[in-house]
Structure formats: C-alpha cells, structure tokens
Amino acid sequence: MIPSTVPPKYKITIDHDKCILCGRCAKECAWDAIRKSKDKIITYDNRCGSCFRCASMCPRDAITIIENPSQGRKHPVWTPEARQDVLNQANSGCILLSGMGNAKDYPIYYDNIVLDACQVTNPSIDPLREPMELRTYIGSKPEKLEFEYIEEEIDGKKVKKSKLKTKIAPNLKLDTPIMIGHMSYGAISLNSHKAMAKAVKRCGTFMGTGEGGLHRDLYEYSDNIITQVASGRFGVNSEYLSKGAAIEIKIGQGAKPGIGGHLPGEKVSAEVSMTRMIPEGSDAISPAPHHDIYSIEDLAQLVRSLKEATRWKLPVFVKISAVHNVAAIANGIATSDADAVVIDGFKGGTGAAPKVFRDNVGIPIEVAISAVDDRLREQGNRNKVSIIASGGIRNSADVFKSIALGADAVYIGTAAMIAMGCTVCGRCYGGKCCWGIATQRADLVERLEIEEAADRVSNLIGAWTHEIKELLGAAGINSIESLRGNRDRLRGIGLNEVELKALGLKQAGL
Amino acid sequence: MCGIIGFMSKKGRLIKGDKIAKALDSLRDRGNGEGSGYVGYGIYPEYADKYAIHVFIDNTVDFPQIKSKVEEILQRYGIIVKDEEIPVDDSVIKKEHISWRFFYEMDEKYAEIEEDKIVEMVIEINSKIDGAFIFSSGKNLGVFKAAAWPDEVAKYFKLDTYEGYMWLSHARYPTNTKGWWGGAHPFNLLGWSVVHNGEITSYGTNKRYVESFGYECNLLTDTEVVAYLFDLLSRKHKLPIEYVIGALAPRFWKDIDNMDDEKRKICEAIRMTYAGAAMNGPFAIVIGTNQGLVFSNGEVDNKNDMLGFTDRIKLRPLVAAEKDDLLFISSEEAAIRLICPELDRVWMPDAGKMTIARFEE
C-alpha cells in the first residue's frame, strides 16, 4: 500500500489544560474525526472538513482547527489540493465529488462595481421618513395596456369611465426582491425546509422546493412556495404542482452546467422516498437532459403543459445555468410562454457536483445578467419575462448590483444556509452535515432548531431589505423598479474595457 | 435649481415672445448662463400644417456638407417646402451653431405613419450625422435655445418677432452634463416640448426602456428621455394623458392597495407594465403638447379641464396661477407676477397629483 503523501488539510488541536473530557466534541462530529478514549480525546485530522461543529460546541473552548502548516514541499502548480485530488482519483478511479459553490479564485465582478450616491442636486431620500417601495412582481407583463371607455351616468351627469381591456398574466408579488432558491428535500433536511418556509412567509417572499418534491408538512406554506420540475420528475404530480404559487422548470444549475443531479441512496430516507416517489435507499438520478426536451420548441411545450395542468393560474419559470450563449437561450425562453428566466451563475452552491464541473464550467452571474437583459431588450422581449439572478449572492450590495444590472429579483441559497449555521465546509454530499442542514440522519437533523433557524433566515432577509432601502435612498430612488437595469447608478473599477463593455458599465470617474 | 416659466392662453390668443423672455430673465439666478431656451406654439401660422424642423448645424467650413446630409434624409420621405437660417442677432452671443429651419411636408404615402417617420428621421439625423442636431420637430411651433443667459438667447433669436398662444421657457443650471446648445431646454419631439427642473435618478432605467422601443438617447440629458416617454406612451401606446402621468409618476403601493377594485386594477397594471417608464428623483416638469400645457406638481381641476403630475415627494418647487384665459406655471411666483401682477388664483400643486390645461373649444 502506498501511504498518503499529502498531509491532512486541517489540524485539530485540543488544549488539554482546558479540556474536561466531557466527550461532547466526539458526539458532535459526524465524521469521526474526534473520538473519546477513556481519559483522552483522540483526533483524526485527515477526516476533518473544518465544519467547526466540535469547536462551537466545546463548553471549554478547548478546540482549535487550523490549516495544517505541515504541507510538505511548496509548489506553485502542484498545490496540496491538486496532489490530493490526483491521489483520490488514483485510489478510486472515480469522478471527484464536491459540495458548495465554485472554489477557484475567479474574479468576483460584484467587488469591482461601486454604487452611485446622491449629493446636492438630487437629494438622497431617508427611508425612515419617506416611502421606500421594494415590492416586485415576477412574471410576464404586457408590452402595453389597452383600455375601453364606457359612458356612465352618475348623478345625472354623463361620465366617461375607462376599463382595463388588457389581461395581466399571473405574477408573484414579492415584498422584497430576495427569494430563497431551490434546494431539494433530500439534499437538505426537512427542518431546513421548514425553517426557510417560515422565514419566507414572514418576509413576504418565496422559496423553491428544489427537485425533491414537496413534503406534506410544507403544504401550509403553499402561497410562498415555488415547486420545481427537473429532469428526474421526482415528486411531480398534479397535487404537487397545485401546491405552489409558481412552477420552475430546471434545465441547468450554475454549480454544474450541462449535467443532471445525483442524490445518493443513503440520503433517501423513508420520508424522502415518499416525497420523491422513489424506493427508499435508491439513488435518485436526474439525467443531464430532460428526455422530453431536445429543442426550444420542446421546452415551450412543457411550459404550456404545466400551465394547462394548473389551469393557467400559475407563472412558470425556467432555470438555466449561466453559460456563454445564455442571452440567446433566455430570449428563446422569453418567447415560450414562460414568465421568468432564472439564471444561475457559476458561483452557485450545490449539495453535490463533480469537482471538475463546479470549479471550471459556467460563467459569472454578473455578466450573464447584463447579457440577458441586453438581449431581451434588443429583441423587445424584456416585458415578457422577469429575470431572477442567482449564484453567489453574498450580501445586499450584490442584490442591489444584480438589479441595477438588469435582474428583477434574486435567489439566495448558500447565504440562507449560512444563516442557519452552515460553515461552508463543502462536504454536503457526504450526508453527515454536523449542523443538521444537508443531512437526512435523524440525530443530526434534530440539531437544527426550526424556530431559531427561521428567525435567523428572516432576520437575514429583513436586514438585507433594510440595507437595500438605504442604498436606494442614497441613490435618490424610492422604488425598486427605478433601479432595475439602471446601470447608470453603477461604475466599474479595476476592470478592463472589454469587461466594462460586457457588464454595460462606465468606468468610475466617467 | 433651473428656472421654469410657461404660460398659455386657453382662448388661443397670440402673445409676443418678449413677455416670456422678461419672465425668464427674472429667474436667471436659477440658472448659470450655460443654457436658456424657449418654445412657442402657434408661431408659424403660414406653415401651420407643415413640420417646422429646427436644426443646429456646426458653424464650421463643413456646414454645406452637413446641411446637405440632413436634406438628403429629409427628402427621402417628403419635400422641403421652405428652408432658411433662423434669423439671429449674432452680436449677442458667439454663433457656435447655425440654426436652420426646414418647413417640411411628408409624402402622402406615409400618411398613416408620418409621425413615426419624423421620429425615425430625428433619431437618425441626431445619432448618425456628426455636426447636426434636430432640436425641434413639431408643427406650428419652434424651439429657440443656446448656451447663454435668458436675455441673451431671447435677443439672439429675436424672440419679440414671434407670437404664440403658448410659451415655455427654461434657464439651465447644468449638473449632469456640460452646458452646450443641444443640452439646453426645451427638448422637443413632434408636439412634445419638455422643460425640466431636477435630476432623474431613474435615467438609466428610463433610457434603456425607451431604447428597447427604438428611441436613441443622444443628448445624455434626462429631458430628452421624458419627451420620448411621452411620445411612446401617449402617441404610440395611445394611453390617456392621465395614465401617461400615472406611469411616469405612479401612485404609491400603499395608496393603490386602498383603492376600490376597479381603480386598483388599473393602477397596478400601469405600475407593472410601465415600470421602466416610472421616473424617480427630484423633478418638476412642464410639458407642452398639442393638446395643451401639461405640467408636473399639479392638481385635478375639473373646471378648467387641467391635469398635471409630480415627482411623488415633491422635491422641486412649482407654482401655478390663472388670470382670465391665461394659465401660468413656474418654479417661482415672482416670475409670473412680473408679467401679470394681478392674478385670479395662485396655487401650489400637491405632490403626486395631476393637472392638464386644455384649450377651450
């Protein structure tokens, strides 16, 4: 046997002067990286993913997890991670799995965009004293309105009254432009879903079910749920479709463009199996393509079928991952009777993705929003669909910038999970999330307190909403629709001419 | 900043341009001498049914070539009935551009779409011909403007030689773009003439909205975008003027939520459909139209059949007044009193309410 030639990534250190040998750390670690042996705590550094559960729960603050300084010979190309990947594949002959979003050091364009603010001639607006409107409607709008005029007699006088002739398609009404994107039951726990459902209801917004169906316990949140139809069609039946306020067809996902999904059998518990309508313990495979969609016409047909199945009462969204020709695809979607196009950038999270996809496929969401908004406007289709942006939205400034670049609203995923306790350790695919979020193991799921997690998620959305109001006020804008596509309020900094052009931004100072 | 004063006679009486010049000059402190302008309606009775196209052409040796390029585009769809240099007194300000006017008739075969064609030609000339810029394109009206003080512009264009039933004027204090002749107000397209005090913070959204309908914003001023929005919503989408204003300065959601069902549905539909047209930021706008004088910060006055609109939280001043058949609108009451000391009624239009003045039958 060839021993591992790469040192463990993390190092767990126990301060034995502080440790009282309570064994809590060993109980908390689902990865068996810490064990208690009589009068000693023993650590297994190579199993540690740095999820920090043990350190957080230690009553004596006796645990430290650091990046292992003993990395062997330093090499600029053959980093420990690169060598570890080679070793893992040399051992297994398999595709490498990973969790969370793209972990490579690509530029984050959001951080090279600065916002504009008011000074003398356009006074800033104080959201505490003046109305600040964040209400957003997601769905198709007509290009123009038509009215008919009827003469009525009121108190003996003939009055001409106008009546709206144009029919407005069903739209989702959002009190804040922040929704929680699709993370399936199976990939994450029921407690996580329940907490997020409570949060979005409180905030007047929506969450996606992901492709894992909708657990009956969430039926009471129907008015705030977007159901998803992915290639695996897990849990999809007419009852499921009617239990949401909108339906989303998932074609692609930012973390893994061009491929489907895979929920390992060990995550398919009895409840997950019932909700997904698949046998317990079986792998749930979503194929890369939908086997009834091989063209934009096929997609249009599915959009209409889903509308027909729900009596044309629900808006239908189509989610695609951000790739280089995303604008053309989005424009095709806009002409397919779909009501919104969801674009998921390559920093988007995931429960499990082949590492090579997660880190190398797709494009940043910022440029995708810009390209899609431009193309839809050029083709006269912008009113036909809303744009929902997702994939790496980290704070309210990212939301603000996304909308100014052209989005109607955003989906957050990882941020909501972090609010619930996720430490972005990236081992969601292992099913042993020590924080009870990305796991189905009953003892771990129990660790997530639903009410507390719901409070934290709604606090997060509420706090960002406050911040967006302040940012709008600073920009002299009192309704979110005047921010949509308002790239004039943004400037690029540290970007080259081509990048500025792709984003549709002027350089700071101009 | 920026000074606005306009008036109209609801009976259509013709009033000489020196009146408006006198009033605007009293607002010179609201400008900084980098832009002043006037528009008179009813000033070309001899050519009332022709388009009066006012063009700035760079005062350089290239003048003949630029002018012939403009003519080439105009002649594509109709005939130039008459053209001449707009008479000016060039001892007052430096003649940076030669102001030329064409009285123009569209070929009959374009009768159904002649206004669309005019808009198309204005945009084509303004975006493609270097050194030419159409700043007025309506019938029986004309804009006179330059980068100078109000009295200088009035003298330069010999405003006292014109008579009109409606006049709007503007003294500019530019803060967005540098002061130049084209950036001065009014901005005109067909019958729409816009003068504006303020800064539209939604400019980026509005610009991209109108551009998706084929307009091109070349002047980088928010005034231009307002004219295009009016043209799109009123002329092309045929919305009643009340709804146009309702789209540009929509009611707050909290007010809409409390309306009766029918009204709520209309207001909701307007906000959802015309979200890209909604204007934000501080503004007080006066718009001349072929229907009459429309102004922001107004109120509904059924007696006079007038409507207007505001920037929702009224961050810019506007005052209206009446005397007999005259209706005045200005950023300051003093400017109105200077030319009409005795007034029947003076009022400060409320934020977010509409007013339109129309001619008496």
Side-chain angles (χ1 to χ4, degrees):
Chain A
M1 181 190 152
I2 302 171
S4 173
T5 52
V6 179
K9 192 170 182 189
Y10 303 105
K11 193 170 172 58
I12 311 165
T13 311
I14 310 287
D15 183 339
H16 291 289
D17 289 341
K18 284 185 175 177
C19 178
I20 52 170
L21 292 171
C22 67
R24 180 91 188 255
C25 48
K27 274 189 206 150
E28 293 292 337
C29 182
W31 301 93
D32 285 334
I34 305 184
R35 284 183 212 162
K36 189 186 169 208
S37 164
K38 288 184 186 167
D39 57 348
K40 212 169 179 191
I41 298 292
I42 304 167
T43 61
Y44 298 84
D45 293 348
N46 58 343
R47 294 181 183 176
C48 179
S50 190
C51 80
F52 266 83
R53 179 81 187 182
C54 56
S56 305
M57 292 298 170
C58 175
R60 297 281 293 133
D61 202 14
I63 305 174
T64 311
I65 299 165
I66 53 167
E67 277 201 41
N68 188 359
S70 171
Q71 293 288 314
R73 188 206 158 189
K74 274 195 178 170
H75 192 286
V77 178
W78 292 102
T79 60
E81 190 179 342
R83 284 183 286 146
Q84 185 66 59
D85 287 351
V86 169
L87 280 178
N88 286 344
Q89 292 196 293
N91 282 338
S92 68
C94 293
I95 287 173
L96 291 175
L97 271 188
S98 63
M100 306 311 297
N102 192 314
K104 277 199 177 172
D105 192 19
Y106 291 110
I108 298 172
Y109 287 111
Y110 286 125
D111 292 339
N112 290 76
I113 298 173
V114 286
L115 311 179
D116 191 20
C118 292
Q119 295 301 318
V120 178
T121 55
N122 51 352
S124 43
I125 300 167
D126 183 351
L128 294 173
R129 290 169 181 79
E130 300 286 353
M132 192 55 72
E133 301 184 309
L134 260 58
R135 188 185 292 186
T136 302
Y137 283 88
I138 300 294
S140 185
K141 281 97 180 168
E143 185 182 286
K144 62 176 186 174
L145 292 178
E146 284 183 51
F147 295 90
E148 54 192 354
Y149 304 95
I150 305 157
E151 267 202 359
E152 274 184 21
E153 220 174 87
I154 300 173
D155 301 332
K157 275 186 187 172
K158 280 195 174 168
V159 180
K160 207 171 154 191
K161 279 187 87 175
S162 50
K163 241 184 131 182
L164 189 62
K165 232 169 103 182
T166 313
K167 208 169 171 240
I168 306 283
N171 269 249
L172 289 190
K173 185 183 123 190
L174 275 59
D175 291 337
T176 176
I178 306 159
M179 295 186 278
I180 299 181
H182 292 255
M183 293 175 279
S184 71
Y185 173 46
I188 62 171
S189 67
L190 188 56
N191 282 10
S192 309
H193 257 203
K194 285 180 180 171
M196 291 191 294
K198 278 176 187 281
V200 292
K201 190 172 181 175
R202 264 180 232 164
C203 297
T205 184
F206 294 81
M207 70 169 272
T209 56
E211 61 167 319
L214 182 66
H215 194 279
R216 284 181 173 272
D217 287 2
L218 290 162
Y219 278 12
E220 60 181 292
Y221 301 101
S222 273
D223 292 345
N224 300 86
I225 293 275
I226 303 164
T227 56
Q228 194 178 64
V229 174
S231 62
R233 304 287 198 266
F234 301 120
V236 177
N237 57 32
S238 60
E239 184 181 84
Y240 166 71
L241 294 176
S242 65
K243 288 295 175 194
I247 303 168
E248 178 171 307
I249 300 168
K250 177 193 150 189
I251 300 292
Q253 188 179 343
K256 39 186 169 180
I259 62 168
H262 178 190
L263 185 71
E266 49 269 33
K267 273 185 142 181
V268 182
S269 63
E271 289 287 301
V272 171
S273 104
M274 263 194 342
T275 309
R276 289 208 175 209
M277 305 190 310
I278 54 168
E280 197 176 332
S282 67
D283 284 7
I285 310 277
S286 303
H290 286 242
H291 286 318
D292 52 356
I293 302 177
Y294 285 94
S295 65
I296 197 82
E297 297 91 328
D298 292 346
L299 173 68
Q301 215 166 48
L302 180 61
V303 170
R304 284 184 209 118
S305 304
L306 291 170
K307 288 198 167 191
E308 200 64 44
T310 49
R311 298 166 183 247
W312 293 78
K313 285 184 178 163
L314 304 184
V316 173
F317 307 165
V318 178
K319 174 176 165 177
I320 49 173
S321 42
V323 286
H324 86 275
N325 61 339
V326 66
I329 301 161
N331 190 56
I333 290 167
T335 52
S336 75
D337 276 336
D339 299 88
V341 55
V342 181
I343 327 164
D344 198 18
F346 80 158
K347 297 241 178 227
T350 179
K355 193 177 177 201
V356 68
F357 274 80
R358 188 195 69 173
D359 290 348
N360 299 285
V361 187
I363 64 169
I365 187 62
E366 303 93 316
V367 284
I369 299 169
S370 174
V372 169
D373 186 55
D374 283 352
R375 180 66 62 88
L376 291 177
R377 283 171 195 267
E378 277 164 25
Q379 303 283 126
N381 289 328
R382 184 63 183 90
N383 255 26
K384 286 187 185 156
V385 283
S386 294
I387 298 173
I388 301 166
S390 64
I393 307 282
R394 304 156 300 164
N395 50 49
S396 59
D398 288 355
V399 181
F400 188 95
K401 291 169 190 176
S402 301
I403 295 172
L405 284 170
D408 291 75
V410 302
Y411 273 155
I412 58 168
T414 307
M417 294 218 293
I418 292 172
M420 291 193 290
C422 166
T423 57
V424 200
C425 73
R427 296 207 291 179
C428 330
Y429 57 92
K432 292 178 185 171
C433 174
C434 291
W435 295 88
I437 301 167
T439 180
Q440 299 305 321
R441 224 173 80 180
D443 61 320
L444 299 177
V445 172
E446 269 177 24
R447 293 180 179 180
L448 189 73
E449 299 265 353
I450 297 172
E451 273 306 326
E452 197 189 345
D455 284 348
R456 292 166 67 98
V457 175
S458 59
N459 275 346
L460 177 78
I461 296 174
W464 286 14
T465 304
H466 277 307
E467 287 179 342
I468 292 168
K469 286 181 179 178
E470 291 290 343
L471 290 171
L472 280 173
I477 291 172
N478 58 16
S479 64
I480 195 98
E481 60 249 58
S482 296
L483 179 68
R484 198 175 306 141
N486 196 346
R487 298 181 194 165
D488 214 43
R489 299 280 110 193
L490 305 175
R491 288 292 183 274
I493 194 157
L495 300 171
N496 65 39
E497 220 170 291
V498 178
E499 290 170 315
L500 286 169
K501 199 177 165 204
L503 289 161
L505 298 182
K506 283 184 196 151
Q507 161 68 17
L510 297 179
Chain B
M1 293 300 282
C2 295
I4 293 173
I5 166 91
F7 59 76
M8 65 176 276
S9 157
K10 282 184 267 179
K11 288 190 192 312
R13 280 195 295 126
L14 296 176
I15 299 159
K16 269 172 67 172
D18 54 352
K19 276 264 186 236
I20 193 86
K22 185 180 173 190
L24 186 67
D25 199 40
S26 73
L27 295 174
R28 61 192 287 130
D29 281 354
R30 296 189 73 90
N32 68 350
E34 290 186 34
S36 304
Y38 305 85
V39 58
Y41 282 69
I43 59 169
Y44 295 132
E46 283 173 67
Y47 299 96
D49 57 343
K50 309 284 181 282
Y51 289 97
I53 295 176
H54 286 198
V55 193
F56 283 139
I57 298 174
D58 283 357
N59 189 8
T60 62
V61 286
D62 296 331
F63 171 79
Q65 287 92 324
I66 301 171
K67 183 168 156 275
S68 69
K69 278 186 200 167
V70 173
E71 285 167 348
E72 197 183 304
I73 292 177
L74 291 176
Q75 279 161 350
R76 213 187 286 159
Y77 303 106
I79 54 163
I80 296 164
V81 178
K82 188 189 172 180
D83 73 302
E84 62 188 357
E85 184 178 357
I86 297 174
V88 293
D89 174 356
D90 52 14
S91 68
V92 188
I93 46 179
K94 192 184 160 212
K95 199 183 199 173
E96 281 187 34
H97 304 277
I98 293 171
S99 315
W100 205 267
R101 67 186 163 205
F102 296 93
F103 292 102
Y104 179 73
E105 193 172 60
M106 184 71 76
D107 195 310
E108 269 179 18
K109 66 182 174 197
Y110 298 112
E112 298 277 304
I113 49 162
E114 71 172 42
E115 288 183 321
D116 286 337
K117 281 282 164 210
I118 292 283
V119 172
E120 216 176 88
M121 282 193 297
V122 169
I123 290 171
E124 187 179 345
I125 288 167
N126 289 357
S127 54
K128 291 195 181 147
I129 301 181
D130 200 14
F133 168 63
I134 296 184
F135 59 100
S136 186
S137 52
K139 283 181 179 172
N140 202 9
L141 63 87
V143 169
F144 306 93
K145 63 182 181 181
W149 291 100
D151 58 330
E152 292 171 340
V153 176
K155 272 185 211 150
Y156 179 78
F157 282 108
K158 304 180 175 183
L159 221 59
D160 56 353
T161 61
Y162 297 91
E163 283 188 330
Y165 52 75
M166 177 161 78
W167 287 94
L168 307 183
S169 66
H170 183 262
R172 188 171 186 225
Y173 202 136
T175 46
N176 280 336
T177 48
K178 62 175 186 169
W180 68 291
W181 289 41
H185 304 195
F187 180 83
N188 170 282
L189 182 77
L190 293 170
W192 314 108
S193 305
V194 182
V195 291
H196 164 224
N197 170 18
E199 203 166 308
I200 296 174
T201 49
S202 56
Y203 175 71
T205 299
N206 303 141
K207 174 178 178 281
R208 299 186 74 222
Y209 178 70
V210 294
E211 284 182 347
S212 64
F213 288 94
Y215 295 90
E216 267 183 58
C217 297
N218 296 301
L219 298 183
L220 312 172
T221 72
D222 32 25
T223 314
E224 180 189 25
V225 92
V226 177
Y228 294 157
L229 284 170
F230 257 83
D231 188 57
L232 176 70
L233 270 56
S234 184
R235 185 178 66 81
K236 297 200 81 171
H237 287 188
K238 300 186 179 9
L239 290 191
I241 208 87
E242 298 92 319
Y243 292 162
V244 175
I245 295 165
L248 301 191
R251 310 301 304 164
F252 285 109
W253 284 119
K254 64 178 168 56
D255 300 330
I256 294 173
D257 290 344
N258 290 326
M259 290 173 180
D260 65 62
D261 259 16
E262 218 168 305
K263 212 173 162 196
R264 183 175 48 75
K265 260 191 205 164
I266 291 177
C267 287
E268 252 176 21
I270 288 174
R271 276 200 81 162
M272 287 167 73
T273 308
Y274 294 105
M279 301 195 304
N280 237 289
F283 59 80
I285 294 176
V286 182
I287 298 169
T289 81
N290 288 329
Q291 286 84 42
L293 180 67
V294 184
F295 55 91
S296 69
N297 290 350
E299 66 180 11
V300 178
D301 186 336
N302 290 326
K303 204 173 88 190
N304 292 320
D305 196 15
M306 290 193 285
L307 292 162
F309 75 111
T310 180
D311 72 30
R312 312 207 299 175
I313 51 177
K314 203 172 179 183
L315 293 162
R316 285 290 184 272
L318 211 63
V319 57
E322 282 176 314
K323 173 71 181 169
D324 302 327
D325 64 323
L326 292 173
L327 175 102
F328 299 88
I329 187 83
S330 177
S331 41
E332 286 184 35
E333 189 179 331
I336 302 172
R337 296 247 182 223
L338 185 72
I339 50 172
C340 188
E342 299 299 322
L343 294 165
D344 298 337
R345 182 183 170 218
V346 180
W347 75 100
M348 313 291 169
D350 284 345
K353 293 200 175 163
M354 312 178 201
T355 304
I356 292 179
R358 288 199 173 107
F359 296 108
E360 289 168 6
E361 292 295 326

